[in-house]
Amino acid sequence: MSYFMTDLSGTSVEAPDEATMRTILDGLADADDEHPDVSLTHENGWSLSAFPSGELLWLLWENLDDPDAPPRQISGVSRDEVLRLFTLLAAGDTVEIERLADA
């Protein structure tokens, strides 16, 4: 399965491992109005973007290939949990993310 991450500067990294995902996620410490998020996008069209919100993060869950699928937000997520969700999405497993987005 194919997936990629986009770092804070907009650079894409193909199929990053967990350590690289963490490094990209840690880059949110330098987020600003022009570069506010990092994301992971799977070939199935699902994308999970992370934005800083104090100590926790908020996430934007959307399907970039399906204009009829409304984007949803998940707030109050720890960095470790975001990393876990990125890893799930990288494997194409969207069930847990869907559950959180619907909560």
Side-chain angles (χ1 to χ4, degrees), residues 25-47:
L25 188 58
D26 288 346
L28 284 174
D30 297 323
D32 58 27
D33 290 341
E34 187 176 345
H35 304 99
D37 70 306
V38 299
S39 64
L40 188 138
T41 304
H42 190 271
E43 68 182 354
N44 63 13
W46 284 104
S47 176

Side-chain angles (χ1 to χ4, degrees), residues 15-85:
D17 60 17
E18 187 174 324
T20 303
M21 287 182 196
R22 182 175 295 282
T23 299
I24 292 171
L25 188 58
D26 288 346
L28 284 174
D30 297 323
D32 58 27
D33 290 341
E34 187 176 345
H35 304 99
D37 70 306
V38 299
S39 64
L40 188 138
T41 304
H42 190 271
E43 68 182 354
N44 63 13
W46 284 104
S47 176
L48 189 62
S49 301
F51 297 79
S53 180
E55 290 296 314
L56 299 175
L57 305 173
W58 73 267
L59 307 176
L60 179 62
W61 176 238
E62 59 188 330
N63 190 311
L64 304 175
D65 293 341
D66 184 356
D68 294 328
R72 291 170 283 163
Q73 297 181 20
I74 306 167
S75 60
V77 183
S78 72
R79 289 184 188 278
D80 286 340
E81 178 68 356
V82 172
L83 183 61
R84 185 180 78 82
L85 297 174

